[in-house]
Amino acid sequence: MSPQPQAAQPLLVGCDFSSSPSRTKPIVLALGHLAGGRVALSGLERFTTLAAFGAWLAEPRAWVGGFDLPFGLPRALLESLGWPLSWRASMQHYRSLTRPQIRDAFAAFCQARPAGGKFAHRATDGPAGSSPSMKWVNPPVAYMLHAGLPLLLDAGVHLPGLHAGDAARVALEAYPGLLAREVLGRRSYKSDDRQRQTPERLIARRDLLEALEGGGTRLGLRLKLTHAQRDSLAADASGDSLDAVLCLIQAAWAARCHAEGDALYGLPPGLDPLEGWIVTAPWPAAPEAAFEAASEAFR
């Protein structure tokens, strides 16, 4: 009997998102494929407008992507504001607002809360070490949600655990800082400020790339780069290209989980379907055991 042909591996996508893309601060996509335990970077694409990025998302191709933008708001925030408590309805309401309306609503919420607890957090923020998705400055992740999530909805993609869409195009919330901290701790590796683009940050980017190529994270995956790709990623002092690659590796881990039979692409079954979850962030009930069990099969 002749061997059965193996299913083609989907395109992998890592996205460093900007809520106001431009020529100097574009949306960056890292594209690649998974072969065994290696994630091969195929190339980078850049988009200077939200419309161009939305058009790319809507194209008929199979992919699994990790996107560096929040996919939901904290349940406590939505309850306090009296906004819808189903995910799609909450996102449809959110997209109908202007940025000034979002800022005013969130600022009023924070003003009414005690010092040290101004922001509401999603359950995933603690395990991931991520900023609250309602934060509108430094970084403006609330505006990233407002600008990016509607593009995913309009493109009809599938968001595991949140929204059923085209199963061939799968979008997951990713966070590059989660993976970078496994290697660098609190060392900074990027800055948009030219005055802060220091030799120390360049060394940190090189250290991070070396660790990723060696499989030095809990994900058990190795990044495969050409010499030119390695040099280019290290040279991007903004870190946008490297962040897209970090999201690419998280997407690869999720795709591998799905290939092993996990319909949620590695997301925890107990995730809040209103808030969502950051892919590869450990589930707090038994973080190390659960994460190690999921990763062991991929080594």
Side-chain angles (χ1 to χ4, degrees), residues 179-189 204-205 207-208:
L179 200 53
R181 280 198 301 269
E182 286 190 33
V183 176
L184 299 177
R186 293 294 176 177
R187 290 169 62 196
S188 177
Y189 62 96
R205 289 193 298 279
D207 290 345
L208 180 52

